[in-house]
């Protein structure tokens, strides 16, 4: 009978019990392990370069409700990509935004802005929000700003309607 071959060399089978198979596997591990560590180090160190991360600009401002400065309001800027910057108003209604580090600002570009009452005592049942709840969501807040490559200062006058 004629034997049909595919033209490929015969498949090499390995026996897990064979000591030479185990030795080849260990040699491959020893050879490729340092390469893996080197690649991991390059990825980690490459992520720490000065040019990486979002482009930020300083942002501060004032929040008023019914003409009065209002305290304990979390001001949150949201990008379309899902990045957020936030800050909380003081007794004078002023805030400063942070994204990665305190006071570093917000991502440059168009932002949706939300406002949420932040109970300073963090009670289980907080008191009612002093501002309308519609300001909590980007879809109902109807507040957008453009953060530019400069120091940005915004004043937000929140209303009942």
């Amino acid at each position: 009978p004629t034997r049909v071959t595919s033209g490929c060399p015969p498949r090499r089978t390995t026996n897990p019990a064979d000591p030479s198979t185990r030795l080849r596997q260990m040699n491959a591990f020893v050879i490729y392990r340092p390469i893996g560590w080197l690649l991991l180090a390059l990825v980690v160190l490459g992520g720490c370069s000065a040019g990486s991360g979002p482009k930020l600009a300083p942002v501060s401002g004032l929040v008023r409700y019914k003409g009065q400065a209002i305290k304990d309001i979390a001001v949150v800027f949201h990008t379309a990509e899902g990045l957020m910057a936030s800050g909380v108003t003081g007794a004078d209604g002023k805030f400063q935004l942070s994204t990665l580090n305190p006071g570093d600002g917000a991502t440059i570009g168009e932002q949706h802005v939300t406002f949420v009452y932040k109970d300073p005592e963090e009670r289980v049942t907080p008191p009612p929000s002093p501002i309308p709840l519609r300001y909590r969501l980007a879809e109902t807040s109807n507040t957008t700003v453009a953060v530019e490559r400069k120091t940005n200062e915004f004043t937000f006058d929140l209303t009942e309607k």
Side-chain angles (χ1 to χ4, degrees):
T2 307
R3 187 171 172 183
V4 178
T5 61
S6 64
C8 296
R11 179 177 273 179
R12 185 175 178 185
T13 59
T14 58
N15 179 0
D18 182 12
S20 65
T21 300
R22 181 81 174 130
L23 183 61
R24 278 195 307 277
Q25 290 173 342
M26 287 177 55
N27 285 340
F29 179 74
V30 170
I31 291 170
Y32 293 117
R33 185 176 184 192
I35 294 171
W37 283 114
L38 177 64
L39 290 174
L40 179 63
L42 289 174
V43 168
V44 169
L45 293 176
C48 297
S49 67
S52 68
K55 303 295 182 217
L56 305 176
V59 176
S60 59
L62 172 67
V63 178
R64 293 188 292 224
Y65 179 60
K66 295 183 179 178
Q68 300 294 315
I70 188 163
K71 67 177 184 171
D72 301 324
I73 299 297
V75 180
V76 184
F77 281 33
H78 308 261
T79 67
E81 295 80 26
L83 294 173
M84 291 188 287
S86 64
V88 178
T89 59
D92 58 359
K94 293 185 177 180
F95 67 91
Q96 185 175 22
L97 294 186
S98 302
T99 298
L100 302 172
N101 298 303
D104 62 358
T107 306
I108 295 169
E110 191 75 19
Q111 309 274 334
H112 289 282
V113 186
T114 57
F115 307 88
V116 180
Y117 173 65
K118 183 172 178 5
D119 180 18
E121 297 177 25
E122 297 183 5
R123 293 171 270 204
V124 174
T125 306
S129 175
I131 61 173
L133 295 178
R134 72 177 180 90
Y135 287 107
R136 295 174 64 176
L137 299 174
E139 295 81 19
T140 56
S141 173
N142 295 323
T143 308
T144 58
V145 296
V147 175
E148 299 175 0
R149 291 182 194 270
K150 63 174 187 157
T151 299
N152 297 266
E153 184 83 24
F154 298 102
T155 298
F156 298 104
D157 287 305
L158 308 182
T159 62
E160 190 68 38
K161 297 194 184 238

